[in-house]
DNA sequence: TCTATAATTAACTAACCAGTTAATTAGTTA
DNA sequence: TAACTAATTAACTGGTTAGTTAATTATAGA
């Protein structure tokens, strides 16, 4: 009920909605995210959501576009700093890991979508995801041509990277809880830092794709 | 509206509900699964759902229990036939893959839960998941002690297996679609069989954990 | 200062949803 | 067959949801 203090500012209002929507969708999922609650969180009238994004699906697509473009940008930009396939691969994995751990809504939103073959937004997610995958494939191919990587099934290796990193993020609280119980003693990597996890995933992937193995 | 033909049979009705609920929850997710639709699909009165399972969450827990016990049983039973860590690991991966591909609701339900740190059913999923993970850890540990596996971070390797296999199942239709487009040529493993994928994941995991690498 | 337009609002609707209730039917047993 | 119980039903409720509408503000340009 708090009266708006700020002046009118379309782009700012729009951004407020997106920002809170990213959080809300990643916390509750598409179906359980309520537009009433979003309006409350954003401290804006609900009609504004529909004024700017037409409907819930439109908002969700805008959210996914934002998030996917952001990670894509990070990886592509970081990639420029390297020029051997090995370095590029390392950069890809480290950058994704860093982003995923500092922006945990990304793994949450991504896994929610992928657990349902792109239930809500097939088309767009799809294109953006494919571009990232295409870069990954390109790195692998150039590594192969250079003779430093062996031939692998890129899709499987890609999911080994993304699937693992995403799950390590989304299960963080679950793994912490598991480590505190002591009926079964298992190491759930509960206190590993994102850098440790990234380094570990990277090491494993290198063992999979490198031709000469330094044991 | 079709009048029930069958005689009254409590266990059968209950099983009808579970069976259709597994399908519905895996297709739509917890929030979007409607009890009205479930009743329609099961060809039973909606009140029966609440008569047998108290509420929606109770039904969901019953569904997850059913599904998790089923996969657990498969893996444990198959495991009995082997007695070296290498064979056991191979059996674990192959059995999970086979089950996941023939019962695609499992990856869908699992990823939905894990994308949200066990949003709906923390406790139970948790215990069942941990038992499976404990078996995996045990296999790795015995392999280590025998000197045939190197020391690894079990949680990460576990997610490399489950995460990858689950994603390969849930994204199947998406990968098929991607392979049919030809703006970017990428191999999405669209026509790989479940055995091929299992073999490929297994091969990669072996490269990660085996001490002597047969190049 | 007038005016056109963009941004914002409160109040509303129609559909849907989980869950309840009270009555009814079919099997079972004494 | 009478009486008891378990299974089943139709009809309902209260709350929530996405989306709409028509009126109202603020702002910028002429």
């Amino acid at each position: 009920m708090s009266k708006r203090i700020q002046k009118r500012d379309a782009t700012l209002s729009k951004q407020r909605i997106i920002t809170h929507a990213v959080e809300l969708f990643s916390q509750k999922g598409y179906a359980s995210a309520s537009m009433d609650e979003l309006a409350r969180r954003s401290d804006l009238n609900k009609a504004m959501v529909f004024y700017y994004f037409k409907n819930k699906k439109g908002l969700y697509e805008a959210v996914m576009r934002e998030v996917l473009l952001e990670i894509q940008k990070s990886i592509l930009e970081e990639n420029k700093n390297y020029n051997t396939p090995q370095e590029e691969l390392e950069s890809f994995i480290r950058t994704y890991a860093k982003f995923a751990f500092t922006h945990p809504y990304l793994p949450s939103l991504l896994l929610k979508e992928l657990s349902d073959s792109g239930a809500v937004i097939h088309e767009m997610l799809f294109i953006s995801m494919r571009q990232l995958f295409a870069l990954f494939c390109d790195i692998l191919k150039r590594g192969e041509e250079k003779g430093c990587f062996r031939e692998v099934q890129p899709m499987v290796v890609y999911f080994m990277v993304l699937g693992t990193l995403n799950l390590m993020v989304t299960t963080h609280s679950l793994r912490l809880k598991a480590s505190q119980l002591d009926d079964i003693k298992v190491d759930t990597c509960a206190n590993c830092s994102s850098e440790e996890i990234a380094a570990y995933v990277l090491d494993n992937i290198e063992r999979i794709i490198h031709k000469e193995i330094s044991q």
Side-chain angles (χ1 to χ4, degrees), chain A residues 173-183 185-186 188 190:
Chain A
S173 64
L174 223 56
R175 288 185 289 109
L176 209 76
K177 205 163 80 181
S179 73
Q180 283 156 359
L181 299 176
D182 35 28
D183 52 331
K185 266 285 164 234
V186 282
T188 59

Side-chain angles (χ1 to χ4, degrees), chain A residues 96 111 157-170:
Chain A
Y96 188 87
L111 281 185
V157 178
Y158 187 66
F159 279 157
M160 279 192 154
V161 176
L162 287 217
T164 307
L165 290 175
N166 284 338
L167 281 177
M168 289 302 284
V169 173
T170 59

Side-chain angles (χ1 to χ4, degrees), chain A residues 10 40 51 63 70 74 130 151 166 173 185 204:
Chain A
R40 234 176 294 127
Y51 179 64
V63 162
E70 214 180 347
S74 292
R130 232 153 55 96
E151 201 186 330
N166 284 338
S173 64
K185 266 285 164 234
N204 286 350

Side-chain angles (χ1 to χ4, degrees), chain A residues 183-200:
Chain A
D183 52 331
I184 313 177
K185 266 285 164 234
V186 282
D187 180 4
T188 59
C189 214
N191 300 310
C192 297
S193 70
S194 71
E195 286 85 9
E196 282 176 283
I197 291 170
Y200 200 82

Side-chain angles (χ1 to χ4, degrees), chain A residues 2-214:
Chain A
S2 63
K3 280 276 140 301
R4 318 247 61 250
I5 306 140
Q6 293 125 311
K7 289 194 188 148
R8 292 188 168 193
D9 185 337
T11 49
L12 196 119
S13 293
K14 209 171 166 178
Q15 193 51 54
R16 280 180 75 82
I17 294 172
I18 287 262
T19 305
H20 287 92
V22 166
E23 195 183 87
L24 188 63
F25 279 131
S26 83
Q27 282 171 2
K28 308 242 176 157
Y30 179 76
S32 297
S34 146
M35 297 298 98
D36 284 270
E37 187 176 350
L38 174 60
R40 234 176 294 127
R41 289 191 187 195
S42 314
D43 192 26
L44 287 168
N45 190 286
K46 185 172 67 147
M48 299 301 287
V49 176
F50 297 92
Y51 179 64
Y52 286 120
F53 299 97
K54 194 181 171 203
N55 53 30
K56 188 178 182 181
K57 201 179 164 188
L59 171 64
Y60 184 71
E61 284 180 13
V63 162
M64 292 302 283
R65 181 169 300 118
E66 170 110 344
V67 165
L68 288 172
L69 282 181
E70 214 180 347
I71 177 66
Q72 214 183 336
K73 214 184 82 187
S74 292
I75 289 183
L76 286 176
E77 218 143 89
E78 193 58 24
N79 182 262
K80 282 189 219 149
N81 302 328
Y82 304 96
N83 42 42
T84 72
Q86 293 104 315
E87 284 175 334
E88 285 181 69
L89 183 75
E90 181 172 343
S91 157
F92 190 106
I93 293 175
R94 282 194 203 280
T95 309
Y96 188 87
K98 192 176 175 183
F99 193 95
F101 276 89
T102 52
H103 305 75
Y105 54 79
L106 172 73
S108 172
L109 289 169
L110 253 185
L111 281 185
K112 281 191 176 74
E113 271 296 313
L114 290 179
S115 73
D116 217 2
S117 269
V120 193
I121 44 131
H122 2 265
E123 222 44 62
M124 195 267 308
L125 162 91
F126 198 55
I127 289 163
S128 196
M129 289 283 299
R130 232 153 55 96
Q131 284 171 356
L132 218 53
F133 178 50
L135 170 62
F136 190 81
C137 289
D138 187 55
I139 295 172
L140 293 187
K141 207 181 88 191
R142 279 183 284 114
E144 245 180 78
E145 281 163 3
K146 250 186 93 178
C148 50
F149 293 168
R150 67 183 193 90
E151 201 186 330
V152 293
Q153 185 59 257
M155 192 77 258
V156 174
V157 178
Y158 187 66
F159 279 157
M160 279 192 154
V161 176
L162 287 217
T164 307
L165 290 175
N166 284 338
L167 281 177
M168 289 302 284
V169 173
T170 59
T171 61
H172 183 254
S173 64
L174 223 56
R175 288 185 289 109
L176 209 76
K177 205 163 80 181
S179 73
Q180 283 156 359
L181 299 176
D182 35 28
D183 52 331
I184 313 177
K185 266 285 164 234
V186 282
D187 180 4
T188 59
C189 214
N191 300 310
C192 297
S193 70
S194 71
E195 286 85 9
E196 282 176 283
I197 291 170
Y200 200 82
V201 170
L202 181 63
D203 179 62
N204 286 350
I205 296 297
E206 279 173 346
R207 282 173 196 274
I208 291 172
I209 64 168
H210 276 341
K211 263 201 159 143
E212 57 280 292
I213 292 99
S214 49

